[in-house]
Amino acid sequence: VTAAGPRAPAGFFSAVYAAVRAIPAGRVATYGQVARVLGKPRGARAVGWALRALAGARERAVPWHRVVAAGGRISLPEGPAAERQRRLLRAEGVRLRQGRVDMGRHGMPA
DNA sequence: CCTATGACCGTGA
DNA sequence: CTCACGGCCATAG
């Protein structure tokens, strides 16, 4: 990732990826939930940052598509990326409602 | 150290 | 329901 300084929480990225990898197929979590699991209740944005930086080779090692915005909305801008995420989710049996994930059915249990 | 940016979130109009 | 605003976190320059 980046030259993590002495106190730089490079582990943050790893922690994010680990948490995301922990999300079982067919289930989705919000950025906020992931942040909460990491002990950063208000670090949802940072989680998004980590996933964004993930784009590339590691994208296949981390099920980034299982992370959506609050309310099951796709946070990615409409386009190829958003469509890809929906496709991957559907492939796992996730039900989409008007482009949004049915959180009541697939949301991660607190 | 300070400013700017972003795959966020909750609240209020 | 949609739109705008402010707050939070981590990173890059």
Side-chain angles (χ1 to χ4, degrees), chain A residues 4-58:
Chain A
R7 75 195 190 86
F12 179 76
F13 281 69
S14 298
V16 171
Y17 303 149
V20 174
R21 276 194 297 270
I23 303 172
R27 184 88 51 142
V28 301
T30 66
Y31 295 90
Q33 286 184 318
V34 174
R36 205 166 311 195
V37 171
L38 298 179
K40 308 284 181 181
R42 304 292 179 266
R45 219 166 187 178
V47 171
W49 191 269
L51 292 186
R52 175 203 155 300
L54 175 59
R58 291 157 207 170

Side-chain angles (χ1 to χ4, degrees), chain A residues 58-97:
Chain A
R58 291 157 207 170
E59 75 172 7
R60 40 189 142 159
V62 181
W64 57 272
H65 57 282
R66 292 177 194 156
V67 183
V68 299
R73 282 173 41 270
I74 299 299
S75 193
L76 287 166
E78 281 307 316
E83 288 177 27
R84 178 160 46 242
Q85 178 164 19
R86 295 203 189 90
R87 179 174 63 69
L88 290 170
L89 288 173
R90 281 201 166 201
E92 296 182 346
V94 173
R95 182 186 275 222
L96 293 165
R97 233 22 203 208

